[in-house]
Amino acid sequence: MAQKHPKTHLTAERIQAFLDDALSRDDRAEIQEHATSCGRCQAELETWQLLYSELGGLPELSPAPNFRERVLAGLDTAVAGEQRLPVSAEQRLPVSGEQRLFGWLRQRAVRAAEHLGPERLQDYVEGLLPERQMARVSAHLEACEDCHGEEEQWRSLIHGIEKLPVMAPSSAFASHVMGQIRIGRLMRPAAASTARGFALARAWAGRLVPRTQKAWAVISGIALTPVTVVALLAYAVFSNPLVTPGALASFLWWRISDGANAVWGLLADGLVESPIAFYAYSALDLLAGYPGVTAMVAVSFAAATSLAGWVLYRNLMTTRTADENYARASV
Amino acid sequence: MDFDTQTDKELAALAAAGNEGAFAELLRRYERPIFSLVYRMVRDRALAEDLAQETFIRAFNAVASYDPRYKFSSWIFKIANNHTIDHLRRRKLDTVSIDGSPHARTVQEEEQTRLVVESTDENPQEYVEHRELGDQIEQAIGKLRPEYRTAVLLRHVEGYAYEEISKIMDLPLGTVKTYLHRARGELKESLAHLIS
């Protein structure tokens, strides 16, 4: 059963199953995705692919000269007397675990190298394989007519898709779009050029944003310097036995209250002695004698204020849309 | 100001500052690629125009939020793809017809929503041959799952690299590769009579 732990590294068995096309589509996708994000497994996968290719290219080996005779003799004997083939100690072929593994790998590699899989062929046609694998696939395609035919079909398909035409929307498309975008508030030429300058500066500054951890470390180091200096200064001040938090708070409170008193005194003097306050008091005194007129003035004032607010909102706050002149010019 | 020489990122910055000419230039550069993608996703000219328009309006009204560290083209294609896929999911239009809108009720409506291509430099015979082949490819692409369709169109019609497609579709790179392998496999099967 397929292993379902994408976080763990790929096992040798799983990689071999992948190269043998013995996995489901989902399992294959999972392996490809894991290998893309995990350098170690990517390297492991490429090593196995290379091994498969190398083994697939090994020449056929011939058995020992007396191999056939020994098999036939053993067969005759076994058929005649249902006996085991007597093999002397010298004749017995030593088969180590390494050889068995090698033979098993070779068998699988030869089978895998018989024909190229569709994914490998597509990657080859798109030029996505590493250089060495490209060369191996090319060599295989020269020798294998079936795979060459498949390759031609993939090329033909991709070429056909790439030849699909670019399509144009209707001539009114641009004007419809431009008619519905919010351009933002109207700007005077000077303000517009300033904003343009800021926008370009912002785009340029965007290139200065660090993109690597190392760059962030350097920037952080530089930014830390003033913080360190301020911290050292604070330490130097507060390490003096005469400077205590209580003494500092008392001093600050004294300075703030003194300043606030001075400001309030100035304001109060200005208000009491101002002619505006006198006129306002006189007007209120007069209006108090005529309540009907006062109410009418108040209602008229409220209505005029509301009207002014609505006009301002219509002209300044609502979004401007590109006008029809643009539409006519752009078609 | 000469907008032709400005990069997409510079134009986006100018547009964010309220420059109408920058909007117009961005629209000129991307209206055809975006419309082509959307049209091939929904195969209905009127609907494609609406969706492409909404894509541009959304993108342009939010241009201030565009992050210049990424490609502008990827950003706008991402908006177009998400908007179109959302629409297809709402309408459950997983496959589309080559012969015009699936919502067309009369022959006339069907004719009006049929594929319209730009003129090409090919001679008439080549044009007709490519048109026939193209029609069959379009039909086969229309039968793919929407996600496969986007991946194939971005890769082979728009010529995007796998990494860019992964950003546009918000998918891991391995998934994009798998989508493309499967999509091409399905296309090869559908078009076997043409390419064998």
Side-chain angles (χ1 to χ4, degrees), chain A residues 116-131:
Chain A
L116 298 167
E119 291 170 3
R120 203 147 188 229
L121 269 173
Q122 289 179 57
D123 289 346
Y124 172 77
V125 169
E126 286 217 279
L128 297 174
L129 295 175
E131 200 177 334

Side-chain angles (χ1 to χ4, degrees), chain A residues 5-331:
Chain A
H5 298 294
K7 298 285 180 197
T8 58
H9 292 296
L10 300 173
T11 60
E13 288 79 3
R14 199 154 156 72
I15 292 176
Q16 288 164 42
F18 173 76
L19 292 173
D20 284 340
D21 277 337
L23 294 177
S24 67
R25 281 182 169 188
D26 289 343
D27 285 341
R28 288 185 68 78
E30 191 182 303
I31 286 184
Q32 282 176 328
E33 198 174 321
H34 179 86
T36 310
S37 59
C38 174
R40 179 177 151 182
C41 290
Q42 177 71 42
E44 189 80 4
L45 181 61
E46 283 177 5
T47 308
W48 278 98
Q49 280 173 331
L50 190 63
L51 177 65
Y52 269 44
S53 306
E54 294 284 359
L55 291 174
L58 284 176
E60 283 292 321
L61 296 175
S62 304
N66 62 343
F67 180 78
R68 183 177 296 175
E69 286 75 15
R70 276 169 45 214
V71 171
L72 291 174
L75 184 67
D76 291 341
T77 313
V79 169
E82 294 290 327
Q83 290 170 351
R84 284 177 62 84
L85 173 68
V87 180
S88 68
E90 296 78 30
Q91 287 173 315
R92 193 174 293 131
L93 293 171
V95 182
S96 66
E98 192 180 336
Q99 281 174 318
R100 277 203 301 275
L101 173 66
F102 184 81
W104 176 75
L105 277 175
R106 185 175 179 283
Q107 192 184 4
R108 280 168 173 260
V110 168
R111 205 167 65 220
E114 275 175 1
H115 289 301
L116 298 167
E119 291 170 3
R120 203 147 188 229
L121 269 173
Q122 289 179 57
D123 289 346
Y124 172 77
V125 169
E126 286 217 279
L128 297 174
L129 295 175
E131 200 177 334
R132 288 186 70 179
Q133 285 192 40
M134 289 292 282
R136 286 180 204 292
V137 173
S138 291
H140 179 91
L141 290 173
E142 278 176 25
C144 177
E145 276 185 24
D146 289 346
C147 288
H148 182 65
E150 281 284 310
E151 180 218 353
E152 287 299 316
Q153 288 182 16
W154 286 115
R155 279 194 193 284
S156 168
L157 172 69
I158 290 173
H159 181 70
I161 303 171
E162 285 170 351
K163 287 284 281 181
L164 289 178
V166 175
M167 289 179 296
S170 68
S171 56
F173 183 84
S175 59
H176 284 158
V177 172
M178 291 303 289
Q180 291 183 68
I181 57 171
R182 293 192 295 267
I183 302 287
R185 60 192 171 82
L186 284 166
M187 280 187 271
R188 285 175 302 200
S193 66
T194 311
R196 194 177 305 133
F198 273 120
L200 285 174
R202 193 174 146 221
W204 185 78
R207 295 177 197 163
L208 298 178
V209 175
R211 290 177 190 177
T212 62
Q213 285 187 336
K214 201 173 169 184
W216 274 112
V218 171
I219 296 282
S220 306
I222 293 169
L224 207 61
T225 309
V227 176
T228 312
V229 170
V230 170
L232 285 173
L233 282 172
Y235 175 75
V237 169
F238 284 102
S239 60
N240 189 319
L242 292 175
V243 181
T244 62
L248 194 67
S250 301
F251 173 75
L252 287 174
W253 174 248
W254 172 68
R255 292 294 299 173
I256 291 166
S257 57
D258 196 40
N261 282 335
V263 171
W264 172 245
L266 281 171
L267 283 175
D269 288 351
L271 198 65
V272 170
E273 291 170 11
S274 158
I276 296 169
F278 175 74
Y279 291 135
Y281 177 77
S282 304
L284 282 174
D285 193 40
L286 184 69
L287 285 172
Y290 304 96
V293 176
T294 307
M296 273 182 63
V297 168
V299 169
S300 307
F301 183 76
T305 307
S306 304
L307 183 68
W310 183 76
V311 170
L312 276 172
Y313 175 78
R314 288 286 294 172
N315 285 283
L316 297 178
M317 300 302 289
T318 52
T319 53
R320 182 174 71 89
T321 56
D323 56 21
E324 287 301 310
N325 289 338
Y326 168 79
R328 279 193 290 276
S330 64
V331 171

Side-chain angles (χ1 to χ4, degrees), chain B residues 57-99:
Chain B
I57 292 162
R58 279 181 183 201
F60 286 174
N61 284 337
V63 74
S65 67
Y66 161 65
D67 184 345
R69 282 179 299 173
Y70 303 99
K71 278 187 176 179
F72 181 83
S73 56
S74 302
W75 183 70
I76 199 161
F77 267 105
K78 187 174 186 168
I79 294 172
N81 179 52
N82 289 346
H83 189 44
T84 312
I85 294 275
D86 280 351
H87 177 84
L88 289 173
R89 282 186 185 144
R90 277 200 306 272
R91 299 268 293 266
K92 297 193 189 312
L93 268 176
D94 281 340
T95 56
V96 290
S97 159
I98 181 71
D99 300 319

